[in-house]
Amino acid sequence: MGIHSSGELEKKLSAASKTSRLAILYFTATWCGPCRFISPIYTSLAEKYPKVVFLKVDIDEARDVAAGWNISSVPTFFFVKNGKEVDSVVGADKSTLESKIAQHAGSL
């Protein structure tokens, strides 16, 4: 699910919190090579974990969101549960990303 503004992101995170679902914020950019590598993997993980809210933020499109999360490199993934950041992954590390999704989604 693409996010284009801070307001939109707040709504999605709030909805995820209300249902105690894990939300993953994926910060990406069209010019980022590692992002192009990990994007289809992220999409397939979204299908594998239907109870997790997968969000995608293009840092060039939603600069306010990227600034709010202090994004210094892409890809960056933040794991948010009940409105709080519980974990993060920086870089296109498929195995770490998947193991952290399994770890945090498992306790839902």
Side-chain angles (χ1 to χ4, degrees):
M1 193 177 314
I3 298 295
H4 306 286
S5 69
S6 292
E8 192 179 2
L9 176 61
E10 289 310 313
K11 282 186 200 142
K12 301 290 187 217
L13 289 179
S14 176
S17 286
K18 282 183 187 141
T19 54
S20 297
R21 291 168 75 175
L22 173 68
I24 302 170
L25 288 176
Y26 165 36
F27 288 92
T28 183
T30 51
W31 45 262
C32 163
C35 298
R36 284 195 293 273
F37 162 77
I38 201 84
S39 253
I41 294 163
Y42 186 72
T43 302
S44 69
L45 289 169
E47 291 164 11
K48 188 173 177 180
Y49 295 93
K51 290 187 173 153
V52 176
V53 178
F54 286 79
L55 304 172
K56 190 173 180 180
V57 182
D58 183 313
I59 62 165
D60 295 321
E61 221 177 81
R63 291 177 191 271
D64 58 336
V65 179
W69 286 80
N70 297 316
I71 301 304
S72 58
S73 65
V74 285
T76 297
F77 302 87
F78 286 107
F79 297 77
V80 180
K81 210 175 213 176
N82 298 321
K84 293 182 181 65
E85 180 190 331
V86 293
D87 215 336
S88 64
V89 175
V90 177
D93 186 338
K94 177 186 179 226
S95 57
T96 301
L97 180 63
E98 184 158 14
S99 69
K100 288 193 182 217
I101 292 171
Q103 173 193 339
H104 295 294
S107 58
L108 293 178

